Amino acid sequence: MLFGLPPARQLRAAGGLALAAAGLLVAGAFVNSRAVQQVAAPTEQLPQVDAAAKDRERAADWVARQVAGIVGCDAPVCALLAGQIEPSRLLPLRGQEEVLNADVVVVTPALGELFGPGLEPVTAEEPLATVGSIRIVQVTPQGAGTFAKALERDKRDRRDAGRELLANPRLAATPQATRQLAGGEVDARILVSLAALAASHKLYIREFEDGGRDPREVPYRTVEISSVDGAEPTSASVSGIIRFLEAQESRFHPIEVNIARPVDAVSTILRIRYTAPSPTGSLSS
């Protein structure tokens, strides 16, 4: 892209013109106006270009850390993901018919303009995440309508399972986490894992994370446990729990299970995180 003269050279050039032809104020003003126009037009576009690039980087980072399965993307996003996930999981999208071969699509403004409303019948209405102008959406090969019905059944199952967990005397939670469990806002894989762990441990749930804007539609996929058997979790005290979770079959295998210390926590926590998107039907199968 041509930007014309650098601003410093423009100022020096304008000063030289003023000294050489002090009487030609109109001509000098015209020259300066043209110089400003040459620089101002592309400069106004730079923040937009930078913002779009940052959105793509942030979206690619989110996908690399959170998503399992095949990722459909346009060329710039696929290029960013190429060094972060297995090449076999990348699906560069050139036509709308390829979308159904993906599990998740990173819908940039360019991709949205290319496909238009054609994505709506085969993707979930609620995005898994929104990064600036980019939406990360789940592909629904069965059709958006059928998926919505399956999601509704799953919400009821999650709500029932969450309330059953809250009735377990070996499990307690903060008021917010209690509401989330009772409201069916927690991923089924977490509910199953908590039920299994509570069979032999006393647990206190600090919070749930990584949900969508509407966690009933995109449930929370991370749980933070601040107390195990009445004590702060440590690598040694929860090593058995970690081994148990890491030994699970792929459907219930977390992408993260470790000890962490969040900046807003007073002690260490056990964090368990599952991939996006959340499966439906896990509690009824």
Side-chain angles (χ1 to χ4, degrees):
M1 182 181 295
L2 295 177
F3 291 83
L5 291 174
R9 290 186 60 189
Q10 292 167 12
L11 291 174
R12 289 197 295 270
L17 286 173
L19 291 173
L24 301 179
L25 296 178
V26 175
F30 177 75
V31 171
N32 286 334
S33 175
R34 289 290 301 274
V36 169
Q37 290 175 11
Q38 289 174 3
V39 176
T43 302
E44 291 172 356
Q45 297 172 10
L46 278 178
Q48 298 178 5
V49 173
D50 291 344
K54 289 179 180 177
D55 285 349
R56 288 194 296 269
E57 291 174 0
R58 290 167 53 215
D61 180 64
W62 190 93
V63 169
R65 289 185 298 105
Q66 305 274 4
V67 172
I70 306 300
V71 180
C73 43
D74 61 14
V77 173
C78 280
L80 289 170
L81 285 169
Q84 301 183 64
I85 66 175
E86 302 88 343
S88 59
R89 290 178 49 211
L90 286 177
L91 178 63
L93 296 175
R94 301 177 182 84
Q96 189 170 316
E97 67 281 355
E98 297 174 313
V99 171
L100 289 177
N101 294 323
D103 298 301
V104 167
V105 174
V106 182
V107 186
T108 59
L111 207 58
E113 184 176 344
L114 176 64
F115 293 151
L119 287 176
E120 294 177 8
V122 294
T123 58
E125 181 178 353
E126 183 74 13
L128 298 171
T130 301
V131 181
S133 59
I134 296 175
R135 296 166 58 248
I136 302 166
V137 299
Q138 179 177 356
V139 177
T140 57
Q142 69 271 53
T146 302
F147 174 78
K149 292 178 182 178
L151 183 61
E152 192 62 38
R153 289 193 297 270
D154 197 65
K155 281 189 287 188
R156 290 196 298 268
D157 290 343
R158 285 188 272 119
R159 186 166 54 244
D160 292 344
R163 292 173 181 179
E164 184 177 338
L165 270 177
L166 290 171
N168 188 329
R170 300 179 70 86
L171 186 143
T174 61
Q176 177 177 320
T178 297
R179 288 193 298 271
Q180 292 164 340
L181 281 168
E185 300 177 0
V186 179
D187 186 288
R189 296 166 295 184
I190 290 179
L191 299 175
V192 171
S193 295
L194 289 177
L197 296 177
S200 53
H201 297 280
K202 290 184 177 180
L203 307 174
Y204 187 80
I205 309 302
R206 175 179 182 263
E207 69 175 350
F208 298 100
E209 292 183 333
D210 292 326
R213 290 176 299 182
D214 184 348
R216 294 168 300 178
E217 302 288 332
V218 181
Y220 294 103
R221 295 175 291 98
T222 296
V223 57
E224 293 186 351
I225 301 172
S226 58
S227 175
V228 177
D229 296 326
E232 175 182 340
T234 64
S235 297
S237 67
V238 300
S239 59
I241 291 177
I242 292 175
R243 286 196 302 271
F244 169 78
L245 292 172
E246 290 183 338
Q248 297 306 302
E249 61 174 294
S250 58
R251 183 171 55 151
F252 291 101
H253 192 286
I255 54 172
E256 179 186 353
V257 50
N258 57 31
I259 296 295
R261 185 185 287 275
V263 293
D264 60 338
V266 296
S267 64
T268 58
I269 55 96
L270 173 63
R271 177 180 291 132
I272 305 168
R273 186 195 310 273
Y274 287 89
T275 59
S278 297
T280 57
S282 296
L283 295 171
S284 57
S285 58

